[in-house]
Amino acid sequence: MGAPTSAGSYAPGQEAAPRVLRELGLLDRLRAAGRRVRDAGDGPLQVWAPDPGHPRAQNLAAAVRAVRAVTDQVTEALDQDADVLLIGGNCTLALGVMDALIRHDPGAGLLYADRHFDLNTPVSTTDGALDWMGLAHGLDLPGAAEQLASAFHRRPLLTPEQLYLLGTDPARATGWEREQAGLLSLRWVSGADLAGAPDTAVAGALAALPPGALAVHIDVDVLDFTDAPLAESTDGRNSGPSLQAISGVLDTACHDPRARVLSIGELNPARAAGHPEILDAFVASVTNALRDTAART
Ligand SMILES: [Mn+2]
């Protein structure tokens, strides 16, 4: 399923990711990898525009609509006993995934690969982009926007024990985020450690996550932007894991017996306009992570 929204972004781009990945043959490549695939279609198409009426939480109502559409789509898929691949869109969509997954299994966990903590609120940062405020709203931190924090079947939607963050760069965090990560005792591995020992990092994360159903979320800004220019954010130039390293991480995590959902956030295809083969390599990584291992010998 797709969630073609850049409502929570700094500029347009991510709304094109579901279309571009389909055009690269994602569905047929998944079928060739042994999966039965049903395209559940897309949520609302939302192209970022500035929202001067709500400068600190821009396009909040649209972002909430997109998240709720994901909740409904993922709920329907889980009810049909399907696994889910969600192509975003903004990282806030992971909240819709978790709203559905926790209703399905209260013991659910979230492995969140992102360069950022996503613990900001409309109070802690002036830029007003909701795409690095998602986990703050899942955890219902002080200063969270009411409309998003209250959009789920329970509040707070998430507890820190359900979370494990991979690839975080504390130098890219706000002081508020670093403080909250400490207060909440969030478990996280830095981008440098993830790049240096990806197998160890993902094994530690999987061992620490709860026993219930697992969602894996990747913000492609976790990648070294010089190796794989895929993300809205260009924060990752010359730091963080390569696409090859992340491919191994996704392979391991998505083949964990608990895994039910893989969601992809902040992929802006325009970033790869001068290096389009990296989009194809990313589709290959996703396909490999979701391949039916029983179908292969
Ligand atoms: Mn990010």
Side-chain angles (χ1 to χ4, degrees), residues 192-256:
D193 288 346
L194 179 61
D199 295 347
T200 305
V202 70
L206 291 170
L209 280 159
L214 174 66
V216 179
H217 175 78
I218 177 173
D219 177 336
V220 292
D221 73 18
V222 74
L223 291 157
D224 179 347
F225 193 85
T226 302
D227 178 72
L230 293 167
E232 170 185 51
S233 168
T234 59
D235 285 354
R237 292 174 72 106
N238 301 329
S239 72
S242 65
L243 180 57
Q244 187 180 3
I246 282 295
S247 295
V249 167
L250 292 179
D251 185 1
T252 301
C254 292
H255 285 103
D256 184 282

Side-chain angles (χ1 to χ4, degrees), residues 11-12 225 229-234 266-275 278:
F225 193 85
L230 293 167
E232 170 185 51
S233 168
T234 59
E266 308 303 340
L267 196 163
N268 180 349
R271 297 295 197 219
H275 184 41
I278 199 66

Side-chain angles (χ1 to χ4, degrees), residues 141 181 240 265:
L141 298 187

Side-chain angles (χ1 to χ4, degrees), residues 44-132:
L45 175 63
Q46 299 172 338
V47 183
W48 178 87
D51 182 8
H54 310 89
R56 300 285 285 251
Q58 296 192 26
N59 306 308
L60 174 62
V64 170
R65 275 199 304 280
V67 166
R68 287 197 144 140
V70 166
T71 300
D72 292 345
Q73 278 187 304
V74 174
T75 297
E76 190 183 335
L78 293 173
D79 286 349
Q80 295 170 6
D81 210 28
D83 297 328
V84 173
L85 170 61
L86 169 71
I87 310 292
N90 295 129
C91 286
T92 43
L93 300 165
L95 300 178
V97 168
M98 291 309 291
D99 193 22
L101 195 64
I102 292 167
R103 269 193 276 199
H104 177 78
D105 180 349
L110 173 60
L111 179 61
Y112 197 83
D114 195 316
R115 186 170 297 267
H116 307 98
F117 285 109
D118 290 357
L119 293 175
N120 282 301
T121 73
V123 177
S124 73
T125 175
T126 59
D127 62 39
L130 289 164
D131 67 359
W132 71 327

